[in-house]
Amino acid sequence: MAETAPTVLAAPTVPLRSPLSHVAGRLAAATRTSGGAIRLAELPFLAQLNVRLDAKGAAAEAVGLALDLQLPLQPNTVVRAGESTALWLGPDEWLLVAPPGSERDLESRIREAAGTEPVAVVDVSAQRTTLLVSGPRARDLLSHGCSLDLHPRAFGPGRCAQTTLGRTQVVLVARDDPRAGFWVLVRSTFAGYLTDWLLDAATEYI
């Protein structure tokens, strides 16, 4: 009698949950009750690639052309093209932020463009999530827990910094349109704590 092959059951598909999915309602409520003074929301699952290469080498220009996005060379600046944004993190280090699901395509394009030139590309999308903080009182809110001078003259559109907010390490980005507010990129393990801090600090506006 022929043996019957064992039945292999497919593992159930588990829907992705963002680090702050459980507090989405609290963020939305704070936004509503502030009367437009602040807006708080999570931007989940953004593609994030850490890129390291010689800024003066041939790879930098080739990668910029491949991405249609020139890597910023000035410290703590941001370059945006289309739906992709490049943040300067160091003399030879950038963080590329793009729409969810674009990680593999972007990594492939970077590696192909660099050719034999030394380049390191690491997908860090799962390492952080992104909080959007915008509205007329956004700078005031962030100033409660950030030692940077956030006045538009010092930290205006197109600027970024690795800093602390509420004693949590973050990458803070001033978006290119003042009305777009700020991105706060925070490690997923600290996202809940930072959200609680922001909501507490926002009580005077809501």
Side-chain angles (χ1 to χ4, degrees):
M1 180 177 179
E3 294 185 4
T4 303
T7 301
V8 179
L9 298 178
T13 302
V14 179
L16 287 175
R17 286 177 58 87
S18 70
L20 296 177
S21 59
H22 63 292
V23 293
R26 294 172 61 198
L27 294 172
T31 297
R32 288 193 304 271
T33 56
S34 75
I38 58 169
R39 179 189 174 201
L40 300 173
E42 183 189 18
L43 305 177
F45 310 126
L46 292 179
Q48 298 184 41
L49 295 177
N50 186 272
V51 181
R52 303 200 68 160
L53 52 78
D54 182 358
K56 298 180 180 179
E61 183 176 358
V63 168
L65 290 172
L67 297 176
D68 198 21
L69 177 95
Q70 205 59 46
L71 298 175
L73 300 180
Q74 293 298 315
N76 299 318
T77 59
V78 175
V79 171
R80 181 186 177 201
E83 294 184 291
S84 297
T85 303
L87 316 178
W88 185 97
L89 298 184
D92 65 348
E93 183 178 9
W94 296 265
L95 183 67
L96 183 63
V97 183
S102 60
E103 303 92 329
R104 292 186 179 179
D105 174 61
L106 290 172
E107 181 176 354
S108 175
R109 287 158 61 186
I110 291 169
R111 293 190 182 280
E112 183 177 349
T116 59
E117 294 290 318
V119 62
V121 187
V122 180
D123 181 1
V124 295
S125 305
Q127 185 185 77
R128 303 185 187 94
T129 192
T130 304
L131 278 159
L132 172 68
V133 182
S134 62
R137 304 305 298 271
R139 290 180 189 274
D140 298 330
L141 173 58
L142 295 173
S143 293
H144 283 301
C146 183
S147 61
L148 293 179
D149 179 359
L150 298 180
H151 191 280
R153 289 192 300 266
F155 198 77
R159 303 286 295 181
C160 67
Q162 298 179 80
T163 184
T164 57
L165 177 64
R167 296 186 293 181
T168 302
Q169 291 186 340
V170 301
V171 179
L172 184 62
V173 182
R175 300 289 284 146
D176 48 6
D177 181 343
R179 294 170 298 179
F182 299 85
W183 279 354
V184 182
L185 282 67
V186 59
R187 288 185 180 272
S188 298
T189 50
F190 291 99
Y193 163 80
L194 184 61
T195 298
D196 287 340
W197 182 89
L198 282 168
L199 290 169
D200 183 66
T203 53
E204 65 180 281
Y205 311 118
I206 59 178

